[in-house]
Amino acid sequence: MAHIFVLAFVLAGGFLTAQKVMLDGDPNRQLAAFDVAGLIETGLPSGLMSPDQLVDFLRGTSNQTGDSLSAIGASHLVAMGSPVWVGSVESMLVNLRKASDAEFQVDLRVCRVSAAFAQGQLGDLLARDGNDAVVVGAEPIQRVVGNDSVVRLIRAMLADPSTQIKQSPQVTVRQLQATRIRVGRDVGYVRSFDLQSRPDGKQIAIPILDKLWQGHDAEVVVALIGKAKVAVEMDLLVNSMDIPIQKFHADVAGVAEGVMVEVPRVTSFRGSQFAEVTSGSTVVVALPSGDTWLLALLTVHQVRAAPRGR
């Protein structure tokens, strides 16, 4: 109950950026409330970030564990834990507020390469820009590389006839604006049949149509969190469908020609990635998918900085 009383007191304090109190008189345990209304209103109306999304984003920027950060109401965050943790949350929020007018250009490519390409070239292409050696095995890989490495990687993929590269439209986003990038199409197919009887006793098979979406769908959040330090969070969904869709013929009593149904085979990947980069760097995520590898290349350029003196 003591924690609830302290929290109510802090929030009632109103409009200060942060108020800190000790928990149970222990200097190694602190609680602080932060008014973040200005931050979550930074994005455009179509991409406003909720307090819970801001909590997830801030947790991604920290290596601290065992401490608490949660959203309270529509415009407050509460951090609870060690002074180091509470101080790091406050520092991140201050940096985000200073850079509230920052803008970024986001460029996403989703590629599929053969296992032979991954085993033969991917490791060498990613083991640059100060990265450790890359072992291409069964585990996902994430690396941050510079522009020269990205150019070499794309050239190598284009030289491989089995490579597929899907380029998303480049978009410009504001600080902390949750932005959706969706590239793909709906694919229609015959899922089933509805049998209807005719007056002569025969039956008619009426096809039941359905559709599945094929492509990639990403939500990206970018923020300047320090001098020349950009945080990038991406939630990615990739649906791949075997084309042509496999067809099956079935005999149905009363239907002379039988019916034909289609059974699509869809491979899906869904994952979240977080990285800290410098402007112009690219986050490369690679993971095995059957007999191929899926690669996502996310490049971020800062195109507008916050005004000085903010």
Side-chain angles (χ1 to χ4, degrees):
M1 294 300 293
H3 293 178
I4 297 175
F5 172 79
V6 171
L7 177 58
F9 170 78
V10 172
L11 292 181
F15 306 101
L16 296 178
T17 301
Q19 297 185 23
K20 302 176 186 176
V21 295
M22 289 187 297
L23 293 176
D24 302 324
D26 182 356
N28 294 317
R29 298 286 293 171
Q30 291 185 350
L31 180 145
F34 303 90
D35 184 345
V36 296
L39 286 178
I40 60 177
E41 292 172 0
T42 297
L44 299 177
S46 61
L48 286 177
M49 173 174 277
S50 70
D52 288 330
Q53 287 176 312
L54 181 57
V55 167
D56 291 339
F57 189 82
L58 291 173
R59 280 208 165 275
T61 66
S62 175
N63 295 322
Q64 298 285 336
T65 59
D67 296 300
S68 171
L69 181 65
S70 57
I72 302 294
S75 60
H76 284 85
L77 301 188
V78 173
M80 184 169 62
S82 69
V84 173
W85 165 246
V86 173
S88 68
V89 172
E90 182 176 22
S91 177
M92 287 185 287
L93 290 173
V94 169
N95 286 331
L96 290 174
R97 192 181 299 276
K98 287 181 178 178
S100 60
D101 288 337
E103 292 183 352
F104 308 88
Q105 186 182 74
V106 176
D107 185 5
L108 174 63
R109 303 177 183 92
V110 176
C111 317
R112 192 171 292 276
V113 301
S114 66
F117 177 90
Q119 295 288 342
Q121 299 189 58
L122 185 59
D124 291 338
L125 290 167
L126 294 182
R128 301 173 184 267
D129 302 301
N131 286 316
D132 296 331
V134 177
V135 178
V136 179
E139 298 298 323
I141 300 168
Q142 176 176 313
R143 290 292 187 274
V144 177
V145 298
N147 182 68
D148 290 344
S149 295
V150 172
V151 170
R152 284 191 290 266
L153 175 57
I154 292 176
R155 285 176 177 172
M157 289 192 295
L158 290 174
D160 187 331
S162 65
T163 296
Q164 302 174 18
I165 301 178
K166 292 185 178 180
Q167 170 71 60
S168 304
Q170 293 183 349
V171 296
T172 299
V173 303
R174 295 181 64 184
Q175 174 99 328
L176 291 178
Q177 179 186 349
T179 302
R180 190 176 184 188
I181 303 172
R182 195 171 194 259
V183 176
R185 64 188 179 97
D186 288 322
V187 178
Y189 68 101
V190 179
R191 177 169 57 86
S192 184
F193 282 86
D194 183 21
L195 298 179
Q196 296 183 2
S197 298
R198 299 193 317 187
D200 60 4
K202 295 183 179 180
Q203 295 195 91
I204 301 175
I206 306 298
I208 300 174
L209 305 180
D210 206 342
K211 59 185 179 181
L212 289 170
W213 184 78
Q214 176 177 248
H216 62 264
D217 189 349
E219 183 175 90
V220 179
V221 178
V222 185
L224 187 66
I225 60 172
K227 187 176 181 180
K229 183 187 294 185
V230 179
V232 182
E233 183 180 45
M234 177 175 66
D235 295 324
L236 178 64
L237 169 66
V238 179
N239 281 343
S240 301
M241 185 183 303
D242 289 351
I243 301 293
I245 299 174
Q246 192 170 9
K247 298 181 179 181
F248 292 92
H249 182 272
D251 295 325
V252 177
V255 180
E257 65 276 14
V259 297
M260 188 74 69
V261 296
E262 296 175 307
V263 181
R265 183 187 178 197
V266 179
T267 303
S268 295
F269 163 79
R270 183 186 295 274
S272 298
Q273 298 293 332
F274 185 92
E276 293 183 5
V277 303
T278 57
S279 178
S281 297
T282 297
V283 183
V284 180
V285 180
L287 69 155
S289 175
D291 57 354
T292 62
W293 275 69
L294 183 68
L295 274 67
L297 285 66
L298 183 67
T299 306
V300 176
H301 292 272
Q302 185 178 350
V303 294
R304 179 184 175 188
R308 293 183 179 180
R310 290 194 57 164

